[in-house]
Amino acid sequence: MQNQVSATIAALDLIRTLQAEYGPIMFHQSGGCCDGSSPMCYAQGDFIIGDQDVCLGEIGGAPVYISASQYSVWKHTELIIDVVPGRGGRFSLDNGREVRFLTRSKVCVVSPLETR
Protein backbone atom coordinates (compact mmCIF):
# COMPACT_ATOMS: atom_id res chain seq x y z
CA MET A 1 0.00 0.00 0.00
CA GLN A 2 1.22 3.47 -0.87
CA ASN A 3 1.36 5.89 2.05
CA GLN A 4 -1.28 8.54 1.28
CA VAL A 5 -0.80 10.52 4.45
CA SER A 6 2.00 12.67 5.82
CA ALA A 7 2.42 15.05 8.74
CA THR A 8 4.04 18.39 9.38
CA ILE A 9 6.73 18.80 12.02
CA ALA A 10 4.16 20.47 14.32
CA ALA A 11 1.81 17.49 13.93
CA LEU A 12 4.64 15.01 14.63
CA ASP A 13 5.54 16.97 17.79
CA LEU A 14 1.93 16.83 19.04
CA ILE A 15 1.72 13.13 18.15
CA ARG A 16 4.82 12.44 20.30
CA THR A 17 3.27 14.41 23.19
CA LEU A 18 0.01 12.45 22.94
CA GLN A 19 1.84 9.12 22.66
CA ALA A 20 3.82 9.94 25.82
CA GLU A 21 0.55 10.63 27.64
CA TYR A 22 -1.77 7.97 26.16
CA GLY A 23 0.49 5.30 24.63
CA PRO A 24 -0.21 4.13 21.06
CA ILE A 25 -2.65 6.37 19.19
CA MET A 26 -4.46 6.29 15.87
CA PHE A 27 -6.35 8.68 13.61
CA HIS A 28 -9.64 8.44 11.77
CA GLN A 29 -10.47 11.11 9.21
CA SER A 30 -13.89 12.41 10.18
CA GLY A 31 -16.50 12.64 7.46
CA GLY A 32 -18.27 15.62 8.90
CA CYS A 33 -21.16 16.07 11.32
CA CYS A 34 -20.47 17.60 14.72
CA ASP A 35 -16.70 18.01 14.45
CA GLY A 36 -16.55 18.86 10.76
CA SER A 37 -14.07 16.97 8.68
CA SER A 38 -11.20 16.86 11.16
CA PRO A 39 -8.67 14.13 11.73
CA MET A 40 -9.84 12.59 14.99
CA CYS A 41 -7.12 11.22 17.28
CA TYR A 42 -7.83 8.34 19.68
CA ALA A 43 -5.89 6.00 21.94
CA GLN A 44 -5.60 2.73 20.01
CA GLY A 45 -8.55 0.55 20.94
CA ASP A 46 -10.84 3.48 21.84
CA PHE A 47 -12.23 3.72 18.29
CA ILE A 48 -13.40 0.59 16.53
CA ILE A 49 -12.10 0.32 12.97
CA GLY A 50 -14.77 -1.11 10.69
CA ASP A 51 -14.43 -3.58 7.84
CA GLN A 52 -15.05 -0.72 5.41
CA ASP A 53 -12.36 1.59 6.79
CA VAL A 54 -9.20 2.07 4.72
CA CYS A 55 -5.74 2.55 6.22
CA LEU A 56 -4.00 5.43 4.43
CA GLY A 57 -0.64 4.82 6.14
CA GLU A 58 1.09 5.97 9.31
CA ILE A 59 2.37 9.24 10.70
CA GLY A 60 4.72 9.22 13.66
CA GLY A 61 3.92 5.54 14.17
CA ALA A 62 0.16 6.20 14.35
CA PRO A 63 -2.07 4.56 11.72
CA VAL A 64 -4.50 6.82 9.84
CA TYR A 65 -7.87 5.49 8.63
CA ILE A 66 -10.70 6.84 6.51
CA SER A 67 -14.13 5.39 5.67
CA ALA A 68 -14.37 3.55 2.35
CA SER A 69 -17.01 5.96 1.05
CA GLN A 70 -14.79 8.95 1.80
CA TYR A 71 -11.76 7.15 0.39
CA SER A 72 -13.56 6.62 -2.93
CA VAL A 73 -13.79 10.42 -3.25
CA TRP A 74 -10.30 11.21 -1.88
CA LYS A 75 -8.33 8.24 -3.29
CA HIS A 76 -6.20 10.52 -5.52
CA THR A 77 -5.41 12.89 -2.68
CA GLU A 78 -2.54 12.91 -0.21
CA LEU A 79 -3.73 13.99 3.22
CA ILE A 80 -1.31 16.14 5.20
CA ILE A 81 -1.99 16.29 8.93
CA ASP A 82 -1.04 19.65 10.42
CA VAL A 83 -1.62 21.50 13.69
CA VAL A 84 -3.28 24.92 14.01
CA PRO A 85 -4.54 27.01 16.94
CA GLY A 86 -8.03 26.11 18.11
CA ARG A 87 -10.06 23.40 19.82
CA GLY A 88 -9.83 19.79 18.78
CA GLY A 89 -12.78 17.56 18.03
CA ARG A 90 -14.99 16.81 21.01
CA PHE A 91 -13.70 13.24 21.40
CA SER A 92 -10.24 13.74 19.90
CA LEU A 93 -7.17 13.60 22.17
CA ASP A 94 -6.00 17.02 20.95
CA ASN A 95 -9.08 18.70 22.49
CA GLY A 96 -8.36 21.12 25.35
CA ARG A 97 -4.78 21.89 24.30
CA GLU A 98 -5.53 25.14 22.41
CA VAL A 99 -4.21 23.48 19.24
CA ARG A 100 -5.91 20.98 16.99
CA PHE A 101 -5.12 18.66 14.14
CA LEU A 102 -6.17 19.85 10.69
CA THR A 103 -6.18 17.99 7.38
CA ARG A 104 -4.68 19.67 4.37
CA SER A 105 -4.56 17.94 1.01
CA LYS A 106 -2.58 17.64 -2.19
CA VAL A 107 -3.98 16.01 -5.33
CA CYS A 108 -1.85 13.08 -6.50
CA VAL A 109 -1.04 12.28 -10.11
CA VAL A 110 -3.61 10.02 -11.74
CA SER A 111 -2.48 7.76 -14.56
CA PRO A 112 -4.76 7.45 -17.63
CA LEU A 113 -5.37 3.77 -16.81
CA GLU A 114 -6.88 4.71 -13.42
CA THR A 115 -9.58 6.86 -14.99
CA ARG A 116 -11.24 3.95 -16.82
Side-chain angles (χ1 to χ4, degrees):
M1 178 190 82
Q2 181 179 348
N3 197 21
Q4 287 184 256
V5 64
S6 63
T8 64
I9 292 171
L12 293 172
D13 287 343
L14 182 54
I15 288 168
R16 280 189 289 276
T17 297
L18 294 172
Q19 287 168 329
E21 188 172 338
Y22 296 100
I25 62 172
M26 53 84 60
F27 289 87
H28 194 279
Q29 177 61 43
S30 171
C33 187
C34 304
D35 290 314
S37 134
S38 302
M40 302 295 285
C41 180
Y42 302 97
Q44 283 190 19
D46 283 356
F47 183 89
I48 304 301
I49 299 302
D51 292 341
Q52 297 298 309
D53 288 320
V54 176
C55 184
L56 296 174
E58 290 188 357
I59 52 174
V64 180
Y65 295 90
I66 190 169
S67 70
S69 60
Q70 226 178 331
Y71 179 74
S72 68
V73 175
W74 291 13
K75 65 185 171 189
H76 300 297
T77 305
E78 176 190 355
L79 299 185
I80 304 157
I81 307 302
D82 197 1
V83 171
V84 295
R87 303 193 104 196
R90 185 173 312 152
F91 301 108
S92 186
L93 296 178
D94 55 335
N95 192 14
R97 297 173 186 273
E98 303 309 317
V99 292
R100 66 182 184 92
F101 289 110
L102 174 79
T103 301
R104 300 182 189 282
S105 62
K106 177 171 44 171
V107 176
C108 301
V109 175
V110 179
S111 74
L113 294 177
E114 291 183 61
T115 59
R116 293 181 186 172

